[in-house]
Amino acid sequence: MEKILAVYCSPCYKSQSRTYALMCAFVNAYQESHPDAVVQWLDLNDQSDIINDPRLNEHNIDDRNNANPIYAKQLCSVDKLIIGTPVNYLTISALCKSWLEHVVRRGFTHTHDGGVVKGLLTNLKVQVLITKGEAKNDTDVFSSDYLKH
């Protein structure tokens, strides 16, 4: 049984969100071809702690690592990750950035070995679904480079 985490990172109401519509279409199509997959949805709009933990604003890495690792543990418990976020002004949503601050934790997602950072989630498969936040025009520059790493 495959465990999937679908993280909705748009500040829009779901009823008005292109990101949510894309995520639903993708997840539904995936579940049709993988009926045993179990999908857990995480709507970041419902997670007040995403933006309220002051330790995540600390420059001291030890203080940051003392913040509750609930999201890092959640990520470590799944086989696949689906992130849905709009891109505005060539960057991902603030909700997505904040979630990443909670998720990227020493001992969960990475470790330091002789001064070199080593990823610990090497078997995690990731699908990033990006929608464009602004209206389309002739000078659009659209890129998912922000989340490649």
Side-chain angles (χ1 to χ4, degrees):
M1 175 178 57
E2 199 175 38
K3 293 169 70 176
I4 300 169
L5 177 62
V7 183
Y8 175 62
C9 305
S10 176
C12 294
Y13 292 112
K14 290 178 185 175
S15 62
Q16 301 170 343
S17 172
R18 288 178 279 192
T19 303
Y20 186 68
L22 177 62
M23 287 186 73
C24 287
F26 183 88
V27 169
N28 289 339
Y30 189 87
Q31 285 188 299
E32 283 180 18
S33 62
H34 299 82
D36 292 337
V38 175
V39 178
Q40 176 184 5
W41 283 83
L42 177 62
D43 181 348
L44 297 184
N45 293 289
D46 297 335
Q47 311 300 316
S48 63
D49 54 339
I50 282 291
I51 57 173
N52 291 333
D53 193 331
R55 290 170 292 195
L56 294 173
N57 295 324
E58 295 291 330
H59 294 289
N60 181 328
I61 194 71
D62 292 324
D63 288 342
R64 289 172 46 90
N65 277 322
N66 288 331
N68 190 342
I70 186 171
Y71 298 106
K73 287 179 180 179
Q74 183 180 39
L75 181 63
C76 292
S77 73
V78 300
D79 305 303
K80 293 187 177 177
L81 170 67
I82 301 168
I83 299 175
T85 183
V87 170
N88 294 303
Y89 306 109
L90 301 178
T91 191
I92 61 175
S93 71
L95 283 172
C96 192
K97 289 178 186 179
S98 187
W99 179 76
L100 288 169
E101 290 291 333
H102 280 270
V103 169
V104 178
R105 295 293 189 85
R106 187 179 336 142
F108 292 95
T109 59
H110 67 283
T111 187
H112 295 124
D113 186 12
V116 177
V117 177
K118 178 182 177 190
L120 298 176
L121 300 178
T122 56
N123 292 325
L124 181 68
K125 304 245 187 292
V126 179
Q127 177 67 52
V128 180
L129 303 175
I130 293 179
T131 57
K132 188 168 171 302
E134 302 93 9
K136 183 168 177 56
N137 62 47
D138 293 335
T139 60
D140 283 342
V141 178
F142 187 64
S143 171
S144 62
D145 290 346
Y146 195 98
L147 289 174
K148 277 188 179 175
H149 299 287

